[in-house]
Coordinates of all heavy atoms in Angstrom, one line a residue:
M1 N 30.2 -12.4 43.8 CA 29.7 -12.2 45.1 C 30.4 -13.3 46.0 O 30.4 -14.4 45.6 CB 28.2 -12.3 45.2 CG 27.7 -12.3 46.6 SD 25.8 -12.3 46.7 CE 25.4 -13.9 46.0
K2 N 30.9 -12.8 47.1 CA 31.5 -13.8 48.1 C 30.8 -13.7 49.4 O 30.6 -12.6 49.9 CB 33.0 -13.4 48.3 CG 33.8 -14.4 49.0 CD 35.3 -14.0 49.0 CE 36.1 -15.1 49.6 NZ 37.5 -14.8 49.5
K3 N 30.4 -14.8 49.9 CA 29.6 -14.9 51.1 C 30.1 -16.1 52.0 O 30.6 -17.1 51.4 CB 28.1 -15.1 50.9 CG 27.5 -13.8 50.2 CD 26.0 -13.9 50.2 CE 25.5 -13.4 51.5 NZ 24.1 -13.2 51.5
T4 N 29.8 -16.0 53.3 CA 30.2 -17.1 54.2 C 28.9 -17.5 54.9 O 28.1 -16.7 55.3 CB 31.2 -16.6 55.2 OG1 32.4 -16.2 54.6 CG2 31.5 -17.7 56.2
Y5 N 28.7 -18.8 54.9 CA 27.5 -19.5 55.6 C 28.0 -20.4 56.7 O 29.0 -21.1 56.5 CB 26.7 -20.3 54.5 CG 26.2 -19.4 53.4 CD1 26.9 -19.3 52.2 CD2 25.0 -18.7 53.5 CE1 26.4 -18.5 51.2 CE2 24.5 -18.0 52.5 CZ 25.2 -17.8 51.3 OH 24.7 -17.1 50.3
K6 N 27.2 -20.5 57.7 CA 27.4 -21.4 58.8 C 26.8 -22.8 58.3 O 25.8 -22.9 57.7 CB 26.7 -20.9 60.0 CG 26.9 -21.8 61.2 CD 26.3 -21.2 62.5 CE 26.4 -22.0 63.7 NZ 27.6 -22.8 63.9
L7 N 27.5 -23.9 58.7 CA 27.1 -25.2 58.4 C 26.8 -25.9 59.8 O 27.6 -25.9 60.6 CB 28.2 -26.0 57.7 CG 28.6 -25.5 56.3 CD1 29.7 -26.3 55.8 CD2 27.4 -25.6 55.3
K8 N 25.5 -26.3 59.9 CA 25.1 -26.9 61.2 C 25.1 -28.4 61.0 O 24.6 -28.9 60.0 CB 23.6 -26.4 61.5 CG 23.2 -26.8 62.8 CD 21.8 -26.2 63.1 CE 21.3 -26.7 64.4 NZ 20.0 -26.1 64.7
D9 N 25.6 -29.1 62.0 CA 25.7 -30.6 62.0 C 26.5 -31.2 60.9 O 26.2 -32.3 60.4 CB 24.3 -31.2 61.9 CG 23.5 -30.8 63.2 OD1 24.1 -30.6 64.3 OD2 22.2 -30.7 63.1
L10 N 27.6 -30.5 60.5 CA 28.6 -31.1 59.6 C 29.5 -32.0 60.5 O 30.2 -31.6 61.4 CB 29.5 -30.0 59.0 CG 30.6 -30.5 58.1 CD1 30.1 -31.3 56.9 CD2 31.3 -29.2 57.5
D11 N 29.4 -33.3 60.2 CA 29.9 -34.3 61.2 C 31.3 -34.9 60.8 O 32.0 -35.4 61.7 CB 29.0 -35.5 61.3 CG 27.7 -35.1 62.0 OD1 27.7 -34.2 62.8 OD2 26.6 -35.7 61.7
C12 N 31.8 -34.7 59.6 CA 33.1 -35.3 59.3 C 33.9 -34.5 58.3 O 33.3 -33.9 57.4 CB 33.0 -36.8 59.0 SG 32.7 -37.2 57.2
A13 N 35.2 -34.5 58.5 CA 36.1 -33.8 57.6 C 36.1 -34.3 56.2 O 36.2 -33.6 55.2 CB 37.5 -33.8 58.1
N14 N 35.9 -35.7 56.0 CA 35.8 -36.3 54.7 C 34.6 -35.8 54.0 O 34.7 -35.5 52.8 CB 35.7 -37.8 54.9 CG 35.9 -38.5 53.6 OD1 36.6 -38.1 52.7 ND2 35.1 -39.5 53.4
C15 N 33.5 -35.7 54.7 CA 32.2 -35.1 54.0 C 32.4 -33.7 53.6 O 32.0 -33.3 52.6 CB 31.0 -35.3 55.0 SG 30.5 -37.0 55.3
A16 N 33.1 -32.9 54.4 CA 33.4 -31.5 54.1 C 34.2 -31.4 52.8 O 33.9 -30.6 51.9 CB 34.1 -30.8 55.2
A17 N 35.2 -32.3 52.7 CA 36.0 -32.3 51.5 C 35.2 -32.7 50.2 O 35.3 -32.1 49.1 CB 37.2 -33.3 51.6
K18 N 34.3 -33.7 50.4 CA 33.4 -34.2 49.3 C 32.5 -33.0 48.9 O 32.3 -32.8 47.7 CB 32.6 -35.4 49.7 CG 33.4 -36.6 49.8 CD 32.4 -37.8 50.2 CE 33.2 -39.1 50.4 NZ 32.3 -40.2 50.8
M19 N 32.0 -32.3 49.9 CA 31.1 -31.2 49.6 C 31.9 -30.1 48.8 O 31.3 -29.6 47.8 CB 30.6 -30.5 50.9 CG 29.5 -31.3 51.5 SD 29.1 -30.3 53.0 CE 28.3 -31.7 54.0
Q20 N 33.0 -29.8 49.2 CA 33.8 -28.7 48.6 C 34.1 -29.1 47.1 O 33.9 -28.3 46.2 CB 35.1 -28.5 49.3 CG 36.0 -27.4 48.7 CD 37.2 -27.1 49.6 OE1 37.0 -26.8 50.8 NE2 38.3 -27.0 49.0
N21 N 34.5 -30.4 46.9 CA 34.8 -30.8 45.5 C 33.5 -30.8 44.6 O 33.6 -30.3 43.5 CB 35.4 -32.2 45.5 CG 36.8 -32.2 46.1 OD1 37.5 -31.2 46.0 ND2 37.2 -33.3 46.6
A22 N 32.4 -31.2 45.2 CA 31.2 -31.3 44.4 C 30.6 -29.9 44.1 O 30.2 -29.6 43.0 CB 30.1 -32.1 45.2
I23 N 30.7 -29.0 45.1 CA 30.2 -27.6 44.9 C 31.1 -26.9 43.9 O 30.6 -26.1 43.1 CB 30.1 -26.9 46.3 CG1 29.0 -27.5 47.2 CG2 29.9 -25.4 46.1 CD1 29.0 -27.1 48.6
A24 N 32.4 -27.1 44.0 CA 33.3 -26.4 43.0 C 33.0 -26.7 41.6 O 33.3 -25.9 40.7 CB 34.8 -26.8 43.4
K25 N 32.4 -27.9 41.4 CA 32.0 -28.3 40.0 C 30.7 -27.7 39.5 O 30.4 -27.8 38.3 CB 32.0 -29.8 39.9 CG 33.3 -30.5 40.1 CD 33.2 -32.0 40.1 CE 34.5 -32.6 40.4 NZ 34.4 -34.1 40.6
L26 N 29.9 -27.1 40.3 CA 28.7 -26.4 39.9 C 28.9 -25.3 39.0 O 29.8 -24.5 39.3 CB 27.8 -26.0 41.1 CG 27.3 -27.2 42.1 CD1 26.6 -26.5 43.3 CD2 26.4 -28.1 41.3
D27 N 28.1 -25.1 38.0 CA 28.2 -24.0 37.1 C 27.9 -22.7 37.8 O 26.9 -22.6 38.5 CB 27.3 -24.2 35.9 CG 27.4 -23.2 34.8 OD1 28.6 -22.8 34.6 OD2 26.4 -22.8 34.3
G28 N 28.8 -21.7 37.7 CA 28.6 -20.4 38.4 C 29.3 -20.3 39.7 O 29.4 -19.1 40.2
V29 N 29.9 -21.4 40.2 CA 30.7 -21.3 41.4 C 32.1 -21.0 41.0 O 32.8 -21.7 40.3 CB 30.6 -22.6 42.2 CG1 31.6 -22.5 43.4 CG2 29.2 -22.9 42.7
Q30 N 32.7 -19.8 41.5 CA 34.0 -19.4 41.1 C 35.0 -19.9 42.1 O 36.2 -20.2 41.8 CB 34.1 -17.9 41.0 CG 33.1 -17.4 39.9 CD 32.9 -15.9 40.0 OE1 32.9 -15.3 41.1 NE2 32.7 -15.3 38.9
D31 N 34.7 -20.0 43.4 CA 35.6 -20.5 44.4 C 34.7 -21.0 45.6 O 33.7 -20.4 45.9 CB 36.5 -19.4 44.9 CG 37.6 -20.0 45.8 OD1 38.1 -21.1 45.5 OD2 38.0 -19.2 46.7
V32 N 35.2 -22.0 46.3 CA 34.5 -22.5 47.5 C 35.5 -23.1 48.5 O 36.5 -23.7 48.1 CB 33.3 -23.5 47.2 CG1 33.9 -24.8 46.5 CG2 32.5 -23.8 48.4
N33 N 35.2 -22.9 49.8 CA 36.0 -23.5 50.8 C 35.1 -23.9 51.9 O 34.4 -23.1 52.5 CB 37.1 -22.5 51.4 CG 37.9 -23.0 52.4 OD1 37.7 -24.1 52.9 ND2 39.0 -22.3 52.8
V34 N 35.1 -25.2 52.2 CA 34.3 -25.8 53.3 C 35.2 -26.1 54.4 O 36.1 -26.9 54.3 CB 33.5 -27.0 52.8 CG1 32.7 -27.6 54.0 CG2 32.6 -26.7 51.7
N35 N 35.0 -25.4 55.5 CA 35.9 -25.6 56.7 C 35.2 -26.4 57.7 O 34.3 -25.9 58.4 CB 36.3 -24.2 57.2 CG 37.2 -24.2 58.4 OD1 37.1 -25.0 59.3 ND2 38.3 -23.4 58.3
F36 N 35.7 -27.6 57.9 CA 35.1 -28.5 58.9 C 35.2 -28.0 60.3 O 34.3 -28.0 61.1 CB 35.7 -30.0 58.8 CG 35.3 -30.9 59.9 CD1 34.0 -31.3 60.0 CD2 36.2 -31.3 60.8 CE1 33.6 -32.2 61.0 CE2 35.8 -32.1 61.8 CZ 34.5 -32.6 62.0
M37 N 36.4 -27.6 60.7 CA 36.7 -27.2 62.1 C 35.9 -25.9 62.4 O 35.3 -25.8 63.5 CB 38.2 -26.9 62.3 CG 39.0 -28.1 62.2 SD 38.6 -29.4 63.4 CE 39.1 -28.6 64.9
G38 N 35.7 -25.0 61.5 CA 35.0 -23.8 61.7 C 33.5 -23.9 61.4 O 32.7 -23.0 61.7
Q39 N 33.1 -25.1 60.9 CA 31.7 -25.3 60.5 C 31.2 -24.2 59.6 O 30.0 -23.7 59.8 CB 30.8 -25.5 61.7 CG 31.2 -26.6 62.6 CD 30.7 -28.0 62.1 OE1 29.5 -28.2 62.0 NE2 31.6 -28.9 61.8
R40 N 32.0 -23.8 58.6 CA 31.7 -22.7 57.7 C 32.0 -23.0 56.3 O 32.8 -23.8 56.0 CB 32.4 -21.4 58.1 CG 32.2 -20.9 59.5 CD 32.1 -19.4 59.6 NE 31.9 -18.9 60.9 CZ 30.7 -18.8 61.4 NH1 29.6 -19.1 60.7 NH2 30.5 -18.3 62.6
M41 N 31.2 -22.4 55.4 CA 31.5 -22.5 53.9 C 31.6 -21.1 53.4 O 30.7 -20.3 53.6 CB 30.3 -23.2 53.3 CG 30.4 -23.2 51.7 SD 29.1 -24.1 50.9 CE 27.7 -23.2 51.5
T42 N 32.7 -20.8 52.7 CA 32.9 -19.5 52.1 C 32.7 -19.8 50.6 O 33.5 -20.7 50.0 CB 34.2 -18.9 52.4 OG1 34.3 -18.7 53.8 CG2 34.4 -17.5 51.7
I43 N 31.9 -19.1 49.9 CA 31.6 -19.4 48.5 C 31.6 -18.0 47.7 O 31.1 -17.0 48.2 CB 30.3 -20.1 48.3 CG1 30.1 -20.6 46.9 CG2 29.1 -19.3 48.8 CD1 29.0 -21.6 46.7
E44 N 32.2 -18.1 46.5 CA 32.2 -17.0 45.6 C 31.5 -17.5 44.3 O 31.9 -18.5 43.8 CB 33.6 -16.5 45.2 CG 33.7 -15.3 44.5 CD 35.1 -14.7 44.3 OE1 36.0 -15.2 45.1 OE2 35.3 -13.9 43.5
L45 N 30.5 -16.7 43.9 CA 29.6 -17.2 42.8 C 29.2 -16.0 41.9 O 29.4 -14.8 42.3 CB 28.5 -18.0 43.3 CG 27.7 -17.5 44.5 CD1 26.6 -16.6 44.1 CD2 27.1 -18.7 45.2
V46 N 28.6 -16.3 40.8 CA 28.1 -15.3 39.8 C 26.9 -14.6 40.4 O 25.9 -15.3 40.8 CB 27.8 -16.0 38.5 CG1 27.2 -15.0 37.5 CG2 29.0 -16.7 37.9
D47 N 27.0 -13.3 40.5 CA 25.9 -12.5 41.2 C 24.5 -12.8 40.5 O 23.5 -12.9 41.2 CB 26.2 -11.0 41.2 CG 27.3 -10.6 42.1 OD1 27.6 -11.5 43.0 OD2 27.8 -9.5 42.0
A48 N 24.5 -12.7 39.2 CA 23.2 -12.8 38.5 C 22.4 -14.1 38.8 O 21.2 -14.1 38.6 CB 23.4 -12.6 37.0
R49 N 23.1 -15.2 39.1 CA 22.4 -16.5 39.4 C 22.6 -16.9 40.8 O 22.5 -18.1 41.0 CB 23.1 -17.5 38.4 CG 22.8 -17.1 36.9 CD 23.4 -18.2 35.9 NE 23.2 -19.5 36.4 CZ 24.2 -20.5 36.5 NH1 25.4 -20.2 36.1 NH2 23.9 -21.7 36.9
A50 N 22.8 -16.0 41.7 CA 23.1 -16.4 43.1 C 22.1 -17.3 43.7 O 22.4 -18.4 44.4 CB 23.4 -15.2 43.9
D51 N 20.8 -17.0 43.6 CA 19.7 -17.8 44.2 C 19.7 -19.2 43.6 O 19.5 -20.2 44.4 CB 18.4 -17.1 44.0 CG 18.2 -15.8 44.8 OD1 19.0 -15.7 45.8 OD2 17.4 -15.0 44.5
E52 N 19.8 -19.3 42.3 CA 19.7 -20.6 41.6 C 20.9 -21.5 42.1 O 20.8 -22.6 42.4 CB 19.7 -20.4 40.1 CG 19.9 -21.7 39.3 CD 20.1 -21.4 37.8 OE1 19.9 -20.3 37.4 OE2 20.6 -22.4 37.2
I53 N 22.1 -20.8 42.1 CA 23.3 -21.6 42.5 C 23.2 -22.0 43.9 O 23.5 -23.2 44.3 CB 24.6 -20.7 42.3 CG1 24.7 -20.4 40.8 CG2 25.8 -21.4 42.8 CD1 25.7 -19.3 40.5
M54 N 22.7 -21.2 44.8 CA 22.6 -21.6 46.2 C 21.6 -22.7 46.5 O 21.8 -23.5 47.3 CB 22.2 -20.4 47.1 CG 23.4 -19.4 47.4 SD 24.9 -20.3 48.0 CE 24.4 -21.0 49.5
R55 N 20.5 -22.8 45.7 CA 19.6 -23.9 45.7 C 20.4 -25.2 45.4 O 20.2 -26.2 46.0 CB 18.5 -23.7 44.8 CG 17.3 -22.9 45.4 CD 16.0 -23.0 44.6 NE 16.2 -22.4 43.3 CZ 16.0 -21.2 43.0 NH1 15.8 -20.3 44.0 NH2 16.2 -20.7 41.8
Q56 N 21.2 -25.2 44.4 CA 22.0 -26.3 44.0 C 23.0 -26.7 45.0 O 23.3 -27.8 45.3 CB 22.8 -26.1 42.6 CG 21.8 -25.9 41.5 CD 22.6 -25.5 40.2 OE1 23.8 -25.3 40.2 NE2 21.9 -25.5 39.1
V57 N 23.6 -25.6 45.7 CA 24.6 -25.9 46.8 C 23.9 -26.6 47.9 O 24.4 -27.6 48.4 CB 25.2 -24.6 47.2 CG1 26.0 -24.7 48.6 CG2 26.1 -24.0 46.1
V58 N 22.7 -26.1 48.3 CA 22.0 -26.8 49.4 C 21.6 -28.2 49.1 O 21.8 -29.1 49.9 CB 20.7 -25.9 49.8 CG1 19.8 -26.7 50.7 CG2 21.1 -24.6 50.4
E59 N 21.2 -28.5 47.8 CA 20.9 -29.8 47.4 C 22.2 -30.7 47.5 O 22.1 -31.9 47.9 CB 20.3 -29.8 46.0 CG 18.9 -29.3 45.9 CD 18.5 -29.1 44.5 OE1 19.2 -29.6 43.5 OE2 17.4 -28.5 44.3
T60 N 23.3 -30.2 47.0 CA 24.5 -30.9 47.0 C 24.9 -31.3 48.5 O 25.3 -32.4 48.7 CB 25.6 -30.1 46.4 OG1 25.2 -29.9 45.0 CG2 26.9 -30.9 46.3
V61 N 24.8 -30.3 49.4 CA 25.2 -30.6 50.8 C 24.3 -31.7 51.4 O 24.8 -32.6 52.0 CB 25.1 -29.3 51.6 CG1 25.1 -29.6 53.1 CG2 26.1 -28.3 51.2
K62 N 23.0 -31.6 51.1 CA 22.0 -32.6 51.6 C 22.3 -34.0 51.0 O 22.2 -35.0 51.7 CB 20.6 -32.2 51.3 CG 20.1 -31.1 52.2 CD 19.8 -31.7 53.5 CE 19.2 -30.7 54.4 NZ 19.2 -31.1 55.8
R63 N 22.7 -34.0 49.8 CA 23.0 -35.3 49.1 C 24.2 -36.0 49.8 O 24.2 -37.2 50.0 CB 23.3 -35.1 47.6 CG 23.5 -36.4 46.9 CD 23.6 -36.2 45.4 NE 24.3 -35.0 45.0 CZ 25.6 -34.8 44.8 NH1 26.4 -35.8 45.0 NH2 26.1 -33.7 44.4
I64 N 25.2 -35.2 50.1 CA 26.5 -35.7 50.7 C 26.3 -36.0 52.2 O 26.7 -37.1 52.7 CB 27.6 -34.8 50.4 CG1 27.9 -34.8 48.9 CG2 28.9 -35.2 51.2 CD1 28.9 -33.7 48.5
E65 N 25.7 -35.1 52.9 CA 25.5 -35.3 54.4 C 24.1 -34.8 54.7 O 23.8 -33.7 55.0 CB 26.5 -34.6 55.2 CG 26.3 -34.9 56.7 CD 27.6 -34.7 57.4 OE1 28.7 -34.7 56.9 OE2 27.5 -34.7 58.7
P66 N 23.1 -35.8 54.7 CA 21.7 -35.4 54.9 C 21.4 -34.6 56.2 O 20.4 -33.8 56.2 CB 21.0 -36.8 55.0 CG 21.9 -37.7 54.2 CD 23.3 -37.2 54.5
D67 N 22.2 -34.8 57.2 CA 21.9 -34.0 58.5 C 22.4 -32.6 58.5 O 22.1 -31.8 59.4 CB 22.5 -34.8 59.7 CG 21.8 -36.1 59.9 OD1 20.6 -36.3 59.5 OD2 22.4 -37.0 60.5
C68 N 23.3 -32.3 57.6 CA 23.9 -31.0 57.5 C 22.9 -29.9 57.0 O 22.2 -30.2 56.0 CB 25.2 -31.0 56.7 SG 26.1 -29.5 56.7
V69 N 23.0 -28.8 57.6 CA 22.1 -27.6 57.2 C 23.0 -26.4 56.9 O 23.8 -26.0 57.7 CB 21.1 -27.3 58.3 CG1 20.2 -26.1 57.9 CG2 20.2 -28.5 58.6
V70 N 22.7 -25.8 55.7 CA 23.4 -24.6 55.4 C 22.5 -23.4 55.9 O 21.4 -23.3 55.5 CB 23.5 -24.4 53.8 CG1 24.2 -23.1 53.5 CG2 24.3 -25.5 53.2
V71 N 23.0 -22.7 56.8 CA 22.2 -21.6 57.5 C 22.4 -20.3 56.6 O 23.4 -19.7 56.5 CB 22.8 -21.3 58.9 CG1 21.9 -20.2 59.6 CG2 22.7 -22.6 59.8
I72 N 21.3 -20.0 55.9 CA 21.2 -18.9 55.0 C 20.5 -17.7 55.6 O 19.6 -17.8 56.3 CB 20.5 -19.3 53.7 CG1 21.3 -20.4 53.0 CG2 20.3 -18.1 52.8 CD1 20.7 -20.9 51.7

């Protein structure tokens, strides 16, 4: 499954790169692109575990940039 999410309050390109690298390492994530300029994240993940993986993605985003919100 491939989906795009809006990222609210993503403040720096370096944080976006850190998020992308950390999310790419999560089990079940097949591909991810965090676009700082567009304030968007496109993610491709395993359908059967989508909810569980997205919880981990949101936790990862919060850990790297606490003010950033993934709009689901």
Side-chain angles (χ1 to χ4, degrees):
M1 169 173 71
K2 188 173 190 174
K3 292 190 86 169
T4 300
Y5 297 95
K6 182 173 175 43
L7 298 173
K8 187 175 178 184
D9 296 329
L10 177 58
D11 293 331
C12 85
N14 187 41
C15 292
K18 286 181 183 178
M19 283 180 203
Q20 182 171 310
N21 290 335
I23 293 168
K25 293 176 184 175
L26 295 175
D27 186 39
V29 174
Q30 297 166 330
D31 189 37
V32 63
N33 182 350
V34 177
N35 183 311
F36 170 68
M37 294 301 290
Q39 300 281 298
R40 300 217 180 274
M41 172 179 61
T42 303
I43 187 166
E44 188 171 345
L45 44 87
V46 176
D47 287 347
R49 298 182 41 230
D51 291 338
E52 174 190 343
I53 295 167
M54 282 310 298
R55 274 193 296 277
Q56 292 175 357
V57 168
V58 170
E59 289 172 9
T60 301
V61 167
K62 283 289 185 192
R63 182 174 38 86
I64 294 170
E65 184 153 347
D67 294 335
C68 186
V69 177
V70 179
V71 180
I72 297 179

